[in-house]
Amino acid sequence: MKPPAFSYVAPQAVADVIGLLALHGTDARVIAGGQSLVPLMNLRIIRPAVLIDLNHCAGLDYIEQRGSYVAFGPMTRQIDAMNSPLVRQHCPLVSQALAWTGPVAVRSRSTVGGTLAHADRVAELPAVAVALDAVMVIEGASGRREVAARDFFLGDLTTAVEPHEFLREARFPVCQASSFSSFTEVSVRQEGVAVVGLAVYLEREGRRVRKAALAAMGVDAAPLRLRLAEGELL
C-alpha cells in the first residue's frame, strides 16, 4: 500500500520546524528516521497532511555528557549511540538495548528521538528511559519544557508531545561506575519485532543492592516499572 497524498517540507533550522508545527498543528507530523512512521503511513493508520523532515536540520545529531546526564539529539542514529564509547561508559543500558533494535540497516537509519517519540509498546529505548528515569525535552513555539520519562509515554503511539511541539532532546542519567545493567527481549524470530522485553539497572553498595530499576516493554501500552520485583531485590 501507499500513503495518502501529503505535503513534504525539509526545513534547515529548528526555528523553521517550530514555525511549521505552529502553522499546521495536528495536520503535521515530524519525521526523523522514518522506520516506524512510514510503514504506518503506508498502512494508512497515520495520515499526516504535512510531513516535516528533520534530516536537513543541522546540529540535531549529538551525544554530549553534561554533568550528571548524557544528552542525545533527536537525529542521533541508533547505531552511533550504540557504538559510542561515551554511551557505553556512562549509559551502558542504552547501548545494550540498541543492540536489539534490528539489523544494521535499520539501526543505521533509525534515530534515538524517533523511537522515543513514536512510543511503540515493543520499542526498546522507551523501556530504558523509564528504567533510568530519563528526562525528555520538548520544544515548541512557547519554548522548552522537561517531562520525566514516566510521564512522557502515555499509551500506544502516544506521548506528552503536543501537536505544535517536537522532541528536542533526551537526557539519560549517568550510571554509577559500580552499577549493573542488562537488556533482553523475546521475539518471534532473530532480529524480528519483539514480543516482550526487560530493562534492568542495579546500583550496588558492597554486596548489597542499593537501588533496583526494572522496566518491561510489551506487557502494557507504555513501559511498565516492576515496583514489586524491584523491592524484592533490595
Side-chain angles (χ1 to χ4, degrees), residues 6 8 63 81 120 131 142 161 169 182 201 211 217 226 228 231:
F6 61 88
Y8 171 81
I63 303 172
D120 192 318
S142 58
V161 178
E169 184 173 274
S182 180
Y201 175 72
K211 176 182 177 181
M217 69 179 202
L226 306 180
L228 291 177

Side-chain angles (χ1 to χ4, degrees), residues 93 130-133 179-180 199-205 208-215 225-234:
L93 185 55
V130 170
L132 295 180
D133 296 317
S179 64
F180 168 84
V200 178
Y201 175 72
L202 305 176
E203 288 184 1
R204 295 172 289 191
E205 190 173 301
R208 175 177 167 270
V209 175
R210 186 179 67 85
K211 176 182 177 181
L214 310 176
R225 282 289 291 267
L226 306 180
R227 300 290 185 180
L228 291 177
E230 291 173 0
E232 292 296 322
L233 295 173
L234 301 179

